[in-house]
PDB file of all heavy atoms in Angstrom:
ATOM      1  N   TRP Y1430       7.870   3.360  -1.188  1.00 94.00           N
ATOM      2  CA  TRP Y1430       8.845   3.236  -0.100  1.00 94.00           C
ATOM      3  C   TRP Y1430       9.750   2.033  -0.326  1.00 94.00           C
ATOM      4  O   TRP Y1430      10.944   2.063  -0.008  1.00 94.00           O
ATOM      5  CB  TRP Y1430       8.118   3.128   1.246  1.00 94.00           C
ATOM      6  CG  TRP Y1430       7.583   4.421   1.758  1.00 94.00           C
ATOM      7  CD1 TRP Y1430       6.283   4.836   1.755  1.00 94.00           C
ATOM      8  CD2 TRP Y1430       8.340   5.493   2.330  1.00 94.00           C
ATOM      9  NE1 TRP Y1430       6.179   6.094   2.288  1.00 94.00           N
ATOM     10  CE2 TRP Y1430       7.410   6.522   2.653  1.00 94.00           C
ATOM     11  CE3 TRP Y1430       9.682   5.683   2.600  1.00 94.00           C
ATOM     12  CZ2 TRP Y1430       7.819   7.718   3.241  1.00 94.00           C
ATOM     13  CZ3 TRP Y1430      10.093   6.886   3.189  1.00 94.00           C
ATOM     14  CH2 TRP Y1430       9.167   7.886   3.500  1.00 94.00           C
ATOM     15  N   VAL Y1431       9.201   0.946  -0.852  1.00 90.00           N
ATOM     16  CA  VAL Y1431      10.005  -0.245  -1.121  1.00 90.00           C
ATOM     17  C   VAL Y1431      11.073   0.041  -2.171  1.00 90.00           C
ATOM     18  O   VAL Y1431      12.245  -0.330  -2.027  1.00 90.00           O
ATOM     19  CB  VAL Y1431       9.113  -1.411  -1.588  1.00 90.00           C
ATOM     20  CG1 VAL Y1431       9.961  -2.578  -2.078  1.00 90.00           C
ATOM     21  CG2 VAL Y1431       8.209  -1.875  -0.458  1.00 90.00           C
ATOM     22  N   LEU Y1432      10.680   0.720  -3.252  1.00 89.00           N
ATOM     23  CA  LEU Y1432      11.585   0.954  -4.366  1.00 89.00           C
ATOM     24  C   LEU Y1432      12.615   2.035  -4.087  1.00 89.00           C
ATOM     25  O   LEU Y1432      13.622   2.137  -4.795  1.00 89.00           O
ATOM     26  CB  LEU Y1432      10.779   1.340  -5.615  1.00 89.00           C
ATOM     27  CG  LEU Y1432       9.940   0.228  -6.236  1.00 89.00           C
ATOM     28  CD1 LEU Y1432       9.044   0.792  -7.333  1.00 89.00           C
ATOM     29  CD2 LEU Y1432      10.829  -0.870  -6.796  1.00 89.00           C
ATOM     30  N   LEU Y1433      12.384   2.822  -3.048  1.00 89.00           N
ATOM     31  CA  LEU Y1433      13.244   3.977  -2.780  1.00 89.00           C
ATOM     32  C   LEU Y1433      14.710   3.568  -2.637  1.00 89.00           C
ATOM     33  O   LEU Y1433      15.610   4.220  -3.184  1.00 89.00           O
ATOM     34  CB  LEU Y1433      12.760   4.704  -1.525  1.00 89.00           C
ATOM     35  CG  LEU Y1433      13.270   6.130  -1.313  1.00 89.00           C
ATOM     36  CD1 LEU Y1433      12.868   7.026  -2.468  1.00 89.00           C
ATOM     37  CD2 LEU Y1433      12.728   6.687   0.002  1.00 89.00           C
ATOM     38  N   LEU Y1434      14.974   2.493  -1.901  1.00 86.00           N
ATOM     39  CA  LEU Y1434      16.342   2.005  -1.727  1.00 86.00           C
ATOM     40  C   LEU Y1434      16.619   0.744  -2.533  1.00 86.00           C
ATOM     41  O   LEU Y1434      17.777   0.440  -2.834  1.00 86.00           O
ATOM     42  CB  LEU Y1434      16.625   1.725  -0.245  1.00 86.00           C
ATOM     43  CG  LEU Y1434      16.687   2.928   0.688  1.00 86.00           C
ATOM     44  CD1 LEU Y1434      17.053   2.487   2.096  1.00 86.00           C
ATOM     45  CD2 LEU Y1434      17.675   3.970   0.193  1.00 86.00           C
ATOM     46  N   ALA Y1435      15.555   0.005  -2.872  1.00 83.00           N
ATOM     47  CA  ALA Y1435      15.767  -1.238  -3.614  1.00 83.00           C
ATOM     48  C   ALA Y1435      16.246  -0.966  -5.028  1.00 83.00           C
ATOM     49  O   ALA Y1435      17.137  -1.653  -5.540  1.00 83.00           O
ATOM     50  CB  ALA Y1435      14.473  -2.055  -3.655  1.00 83.00           C
ATOM     51  N   ARG Y1436      15.650   0.004  -5.685  1.00 78.00           N
ATOM     52  CA  ARG Y1436      16.017   0.359  -7.050  1.00 78.00           C
ATOM     53  C   ARG Y1436      16.125   1.884  -7.160  1.00 78.00           C
ATOM     54  O   ARG Y1436      15.326   2.529  -7.836  1.00 78.00           O
ATOM     55  CB  ARG Y1436      14.971  -0.174  -8.041  1.00 78.00           C
ATOM     56  CG  ARG Y1436      14.859  -1.689  -8.091  1.00 78.00           C
ATOM     57  CD  ARG Y1436      16.097  -2.294  -8.737  1.00 78.00           C
ATOM     58  NE  ARG Y1436      15.943  -3.719  -8.979  1.00 78.00           N
ATOM     59  CZ  ARG Y1436      16.387  -4.663  -8.159  1.00 78.00           C
ATOM     60  NH1 ARG Y1436      16.985  -4.322  -7.028  1.00 78.00           N
ATOM     61  NH2 ARG Y1436      16.237  -5.948  -8.464  1.00 78.00           N
ATOM     62  N   PRO Y1437      17.089   2.481  -6.456  1.00 81.00           N
ATOM     63  CA  PRO Y1437      17.194   3.949  -6.472  1.00 81.00           C
ATOM     64  C   PRO Y1437      17.460   4.477  -7.880  1.00 81.00           C
ATOM     65  O   PRO Y1437      18.277   3.933  -8.615  1.00 81.00           O
ATOM     66  CB  PRO Y1437      18.379   4.225  -5.536  1.00 81.00           C
ATOM     67  CG  PRO Y1437      19.176   2.957  -5.535  1.00 81.00           C
ATOM     68  CD  PRO Y1437      18.169   1.858  -5.683  1.00 81.00           C
ATOM     69  N   SER Y1438      16.744   5.522  -8.248  1.00 82.00           N
ATOM     70  CA  SER Y1438      16.903   6.123  -9.569  1.00 82.00           C
ATOM     71  C   SER Y1438      16.270   7.503  -9.544  1.00 82.00           C
ATOM     72  O   SER Y1438      15.526   7.855  -8.618  1.00 82.00           O
ATOM     73  CB  SER Y1438      16.240   5.272 -10.646  1.00 82.00           C
ATOM     74  OG  SER Y1438      14.836   5.267 -10.476  1.00 82.00           O
ATOM     75  N   VAL Y1439      16.581   8.271 -10.563  1.00 84.00           N
ATOM     76  CA  VAL Y1439      15.975   9.599 -10.692  1.00 84.00           C
ATOM     77  C   VAL Y1439      14.465   9.476 -10.809  1.00 84.00           C
ATOM     78  O   VAL Y1439      13.706  10.271 -10.242  1.00 84.00           O
ATOM     79  CB  VAL Y1439      16.559  10.321 -11.923  1.00 84.00           C
ATOM     80  CG1 VAL Y1439      15.813  11.632 -12.174  1.00 84.00           C
ATOM     81  CG2 VAL Y1439      18.041  10.589 -11.730  1.00 84.00           C
ATOM     82  N   GLU Y1440      14.010   8.445 -11.547  1.00 85.00           N
ATOM     83  CA  GLU Y1440      12.574   8.269 -11.768  1.00 85.00           C
ATOM     84  C   GLU Y1440      11.832   7.986 -10.456  1.00 85.00           C
ATOM     85  O   GLU Y1440      10.814   8.619 -10.147  1.00 85.00           O
ATOM     86  CB  GLU Y1440      12.334   7.126 -12.756  1.00 85.00           C
ATOM     87  CG  GLU Y1440      12.770   7.432 -14.176  1.00 85.00           C
ATOM     88  CD  GLU Y1440      14.236   7.125 -14.420  1.00 85.00           C
ATOM     89  OE1 GLU Y1440      14.957   6.784 -13.471  1.00 85.00           O
ATOM     90  OE2 GLU Y1440      14.668   7.232 -15.581  1.00 85.00           O
ATOM     91  N   VAL Y1441      12.336   7.041  -9.684  1.00 88.00           N
ATOM     92  CA  VAL Y1441      11.677   6.687  -8.418  1.00 88.00           C
ATOM     93  C   VAL Y1441      11.700   7.861  -7.453  1.00 88.00           C
ATOM     94  O   VAL Y1441      10.702   8.182  -6.805  1.00 88.00           O
ATOM     95  CB  VAL Y1441      12.342   5.448  -7.791  1.00 88.00           C
ATOM     96  CG1 VAL Y1441      11.818   5.224  -6.374  1.00 88.00           C
ATOM     97  CG2 VAL Y1441      12.083   4.215  -8.642  1.00 88.00           C
ATOM     98  N   MET Y1442      12.855   8.533  -7.357  1.00 91.00           N
ATOM     99  CA  MET Y1442      12.947   9.686  -6.463  1.00 91.00           C
ATOM    100  C   MET Y1442      11.994  10.792  -6.896  1.00 91.00           C
ATOM    101  O   MET Y1442      11.386  11.470  -6.049  1.00 91.00           O
ATOM    102  CB  MET Y1442      14.388  10.208  -6.436  1.00 91.00           C
ATOM    103  CG  MET Y1442      14.618  11.379  -5.498  1.00 91.00           C
ATOM    104  SD  MET Y1442      14.260  10.977  -3.754  1.00 91.00           S
ATOM    105  CE  MET Y1442      15.619   9.848  -3.400  1.00 91.00           C
ATOM    106  N   SER Y1443      11.828  10.971  -8.192  1.00 92.00           N
ATOM    107  CA  SER Y1443      10.913  12.001  -8.694  1.00 92.00           C
ATOM    108  C   SER Y1443       9.480  11.705  -8.273  1.00 92.00           C
ATOM    109  O   SER Y1443       8.750  12.605  -7.827  1.00 92.00           O
ATOM    110  CB  SER Y1443      11.001  12.084 -10.224  1.00 92.00           C
ATOM    111  OG  SER Y1443      12.294  12.452 -10.642  1.00 92.00           O
ATOM    112  N   VAL Y1444       9.069  10.444  -8.402  1.00 93.00           N
ATOM    113  CA  VAL Y1444       7.707  10.072  -8.013  1.00 93.00           C
ATOM    114  C   VAL Y1444       7.528  10.242  -6.508  1.00 93.00           C
ATOM    115  O   VAL Y1444       6.493  10.750  -6.047  1.00 93.00           O
ATOM    116  CB  VAL Y1444       7.396   8.617  -8.421  1.00 93.00           C
ATOM    117  CG1 VAL Y1444       5.962   8.254  -8.038  1.00 93.00           C
ATOM    118  CG2 VAL Y1444       7.585   8.419  -9.909  1.00 93.00           C
TER     119      VAL Y1444
END
Side-chain angles (χ1 to χ4, degrees):
W1430 283 104
V1431 171
L1432 290 172
L1433 197 60
L1434 292 183
R1436 296 290 188 264
S1438 67
V1439 173
E1440 291 86 354
V1441 170
M1442 182 61 69
S1443 298
V1444 181

